[in-house]
Amino acid sequence: MMDYISTRDGARRKYCSSEVLIKGLADDGGLFVPVDFPRIDFSGSETYIEMASAIFNQFLTDFEKNDVQNIVRQTYSEFNPSVLTNISDQLSFLELWHGKTSAFKDVALQILPRLLTQALRNRNEGAEIVILVATSGDTGKAALEGFANVPQTRIAVFYPQDGVSDTQKLQMVTQEGDNVAVFAIKGNFDDAQTAVKKVLNDGDYLKSKPNVLFSSANSINWGRLMPQIVYYFSSYFAVAKANKKVNFIVPTGNFGDILAGYYAKKMGLPIAQLVCASNKNHVLTDFIQTGEYSIKREFHKTISPSMDILVSSNLERLLFDVYDGNAAAIARLMRDLSERGAFKIGRQQLEKIQETFVADFATEEETKNAIKTAYTQHHYLIDTHTAVAFSVYEKHRSDNKTVILSTASPYKFPQDVYHAIYNENAADYAAALYDKTGCEIPKNIKELKNKRVLHTGIVEKGELKGALDEFLK
Ligand SMILES: *Cc1c(COP(=O)(O)O)cnc(C)c1O
């Protein structure tokens, strides 16, 4: 039986996986983590679906094995979650964006609603579940597609008014489904994330809605992280043989994707380095290099908006691990962060982090150059987020085989990608990019032009509850 505990609970109260998926966030504000990461051995000949089922079964011990397998099979036969493109003997891109919304978030968010509704059945829970999402652009759409019209669920998404790309925004405001709501929030992603966490921690408000359960589809939910562990295993076996170590470079924002790699390593996967690649908002680079995490700095809007984040929520799970489960220490660090805007970890803990993690960042100029280099030298089109990772790769080449996690289709950010390569304007950037490169436009993006805008609400960051009351009436 796999138990879960909260990163901030010194009493270590135990939860089962169904509870953890349903709750999303612990009552004390901490994040749920499994008490153990069992070693797992694959031969390398397993399919993605077999690997996913085996990994999920380690963590979802109060689910029937049959249910897990059916859910995994349904989800990952609808699209290929991980497509590997080799650029050279040494370097591969793991394209994680062949799902419905053309971002890697689909890998987890296509399966989360199925896991969650199964968890409700496991618990004999008849109440409706309301999913709240703060999005820096891609989570929102992927969660909307995952939850649209799923019985017993409703979903409300909050995105920063001026913090997402035109394509990202259009994807969200045209979302169909009778259980969905989408709001622009006046503020940046951190404001949106803080506001959503506040509602999820507001006991009085939650009590005022006795017939619904609130939860989160952000990567603070364990059900978001767990599916991401799988593609580290599957891609490892596709590029490496005989226990050779592999480096992964991960364009990072909320620290969910890269943390899944750390968990894969804890489960026995021979990962040499996890390279944490940030954009101009390089709070994580500074932290991993110095041990001091400080959000007392300017927030920059960049061409990789899904990484425009200062408060990287999942870092708390890594801290919990390197502090050997010392919840009091984590609670103290998180209090420092919210009261003083900064915290500093001990030297021993920093050394532990640096055993696995390397960190660097790319400026806006470097990001654009990386897009151009990938295309002109390798005839390979990458999006702005993947370009941050590629730029960092060029600074940290090593002899190990390297996998760069490619997190979005270039057609989610066609204007910036086109400008980076051709340095000229176009009337329709996606069409122009297609004309010049011949690289296919994903169907969901091509169809956006013909969709109706259905969601126009704008809320102040302190007024989420009002918007929710209206939605839940
Ligand atoms: C969400 C996202 C990221 C960052 O992933 P985290 O898990 O938040 O670190 C990177 N690239 C793209 C395209 C994303 O949508």
Side-chain angles (χ1 to χ4, degrees):
M1 188 72 185
M2 177 64 77
D3 292 317
Y4 294 78
I5 50 178
S6 159
T7 49
R8 296 187 202 174
D9 177 17
R12 296 173 79 88
R13 184 190 150 183
K14 293 188 169 69
Y15 298 82
C16 70
S17 58
S18 295
E19 283 177 287
V20 159
L21 295 186
I22 293 168
K23 285 178 80 70
L25 190 65
D27 293 336
D28 55 23
L31 307 187
F32 289 117
V33 285
V35 292
D36 181 29
F37 288 87
R39 236 195 114 79
I40 198 157
D41 285 306
F42 290 120
S43 72
S45 62
E46 295 86 354
T47 64
Y48 193 92
I49 288 172
E50 286 164 348
M51 286 188 184
S53 301
I55 290 169
F56 288 14
N57 280 329
Q58 298 288 340
F59 292 112
L60 305 178
T61 45
D62 58 321
F63 282 59
E64 296 285 345
K65 283 205 164 75
N66 237 337
D67 290 335
V68 170
Q69 198 175 22
N70 286 337
I71 289 171
V72 168
R73 193 178 296 131
Q74 272 171 22
T75 307
Y76 297 130
S77 50
E78 287 170 7
F79 70 104
N80 188 344
S82 73
V83 174
L84 205 66
T85 297
N86 301 321
I87 291 298
S88 67
D89 279 351
Q90 202 255 343
L91 177 65
S92 307
F93 284 84
L94 180 62
E95 296 170 8
L96 300 166
W97 42 263
H98 293 276
K100 275 188 178 168
T101 74
S102 302
F104 89 98
K105 309 273 196 312
D106 289 325
V107 177
L109 281 163
Q110 281 297 307
I111 201 161
L112 180 67
R114 290 170 167 137
L115 294 173
L116 202 53
T117 46
Q118 184 59 48
L120 291 171
R121 283 193 289 275
N122 294 346
R123 305 286 299 167
N124 270 324
E125 181 57 71
E128 187 179 48
I129 194 156
V130 176
I131 304 293
L132 304 185
V133 178
T135 182
S136 56
D138 292 325
T139 299
K141 178 60 178 180
L144 287 163
E145 274 299 334
F147 281 96
N149 298 323
V150 172
Q152 218 184 333
T153 74
R154 289 209 231 189
I155 175 165
V157 168
F158 299 87
Y159 69 90
Q161 190 174 17
D162 300 311
V164 300
S165 83
D166 293 342
T167 305
Q168 287 177 318
K169 180 171 171 182
L170 201 56
Q171 280 185 310
M172 288 188 277
V173 298
T174 57
Q175 178 67 43
E176 293 157 12
D178 49 24
N179 62 337
V180 307
V182 179
F183 301 97
I185 193 164
K186 290 187 183 163
N188 60 34
F189 170 72
D190 288 315
D191 296 324
Q193 175 158 265
T194 306
V196 163
K197 274 193 184 170
K198 227 183 212 157
V199 174
L200 292 172
N201 281 320
D202 183 341
D204 290 337
Y205 181 72
L206 303 186
K207 271 195 213 115
S208 76
K209 302 262 183 288
N211 300 321
V212 299
L213 297 164
F214 285 93
S215 189
S216 161
N218 279 98
S219 52
I220 52 178
N221 191 318
W222 172 248
R224 270 284 304 279
L225 274 181
M226 183 189 59
Q228 299 179 353
I229 297 173
V230 182
Y231 48 70
Y232 285 91
F233 279 93
S234 70
S235 62
Y236 172 86
F237 287 108
V239 301
K241 290 192 183 61
N243 289 325
K244 278 275 186 342
K245 291 205 166 181
V246 171
N247 289 357
F248 286 88
I249 308 190
V250 189
T252 297
N254 222 5
F255 210 75
D257 205 4
I258 195 166
L259 183 70
Y262 181 73
Y263 287 160
K265 183 172 180 179
K266 281 175 77 76
M267 296 175 79
L269 192 67
I271 293 176
Q273 291 180 339
L274 286 166
V275 183
C276 177
S278 299
N279 67 21
K280 199 174 171 191
N281 296 293
H282 48 83
V283 60
L284 283 166
T285 312
D286 299 347
F287 170 69
I288 290 170
Q289 290 177 357
T290 68
E292 167 143 47
Y293 193 97
S294 172
I295 60 171
K296 290 180 284 187
R297 60 177 76 207
E298 203 182 327
F299 177 90
H300 301 285
K301 277 200 282 187
T302 72
I303 57 172
S304 47
S306 301
M307 294 156 62
D308 289 346
I309 293 174
L310 293 182
V311 183
S312 233
S313 290
N314 275 297
L315 189 64
E316 182 168 344
R317 287 184 162 114
L318 176 67
L319 296 174
F320 186 77
D321 196 78
V322 296
Y323 272 89
D324 295 323
N326 181 346
I330 304 309
R332 179 169 45 75
L333 295 175
M334 293 303 126
R335 204 167 42 239
D336 284 351
L337 184 62
S338 75
E339 286 171 8
R340 297 194 298 107
F343 64 78
K344 193 162 170 51
I345 62 170
R347 214 176 53 150
Q348 230 183 333
Q349 285 77 21
L350 179 60
E351 279 169 8
K352 241 193 255 180
I353 289 175
Q354 289 174 340
E355 277 170 23
T356 302
F357 290 91
V358 174
D360 207 338
F361 70 97
T363 64
E364 294 289 270
E365 211 46 47
E366 288 170 330
T367 306
K368 291 178 202 166
N369 286 337
I371 294 173
K372 186 160 187 175
T373 304
Y375 190 69
T376 51
Q377 292 186 7
H378 305 285
H379 213 74
Y380 186 60
L381 212 51
I382 55 177
D383 93 293
T384 48
H385 303 74
T386 309
V388 168
F390 186 48
S391 171
V392 167
Y393 164 78
E394 302 223 290
K395 294 181 205 164
H396 288 269
R397 274 171 194 271
S398 87
D399 294 334
N400 292 325
K401 291 222 180 197
T402 300
V403 176
I404 291 179
L405 271 55
S406 175
T407 48
S409 158
Y411 285 104
K412 280 201 102 158
F413 310 91
Q415 180 168 349
D416 293 313
V417 171
Y418 189 84
H419 279 162
I421 302 174
Y422 300 108
N423 198 20
E424 61 183 33
N425 293 329
D428 178 338
Y429 284 98
L433 200 54
Y434 173 71
D435 281 346
K436 293 222 176 170
T437 66
C439 177
E440 285 295 332
I441 307 177
K443 188 160 151 276
N444 75 81
I445 291 177
K446 225 191 269 182
E447 287 169 352
L448 272 181
K449 274 191 232 160
N450 308 320
K451 295 227 156 152
R452 258 186 349 123
V453 172
L454 301 170
H455 308 277
T456 53
I458 301 175
V459 297
E460 300 282 344
K461 58 190 176 195
E463 288 173 3
L464 260 58
K465 287 192 257 181
L468 281 173
D469 284 344
E470 196 61 28
F471 173 50
L472 298 176
K473 255 213 301 248

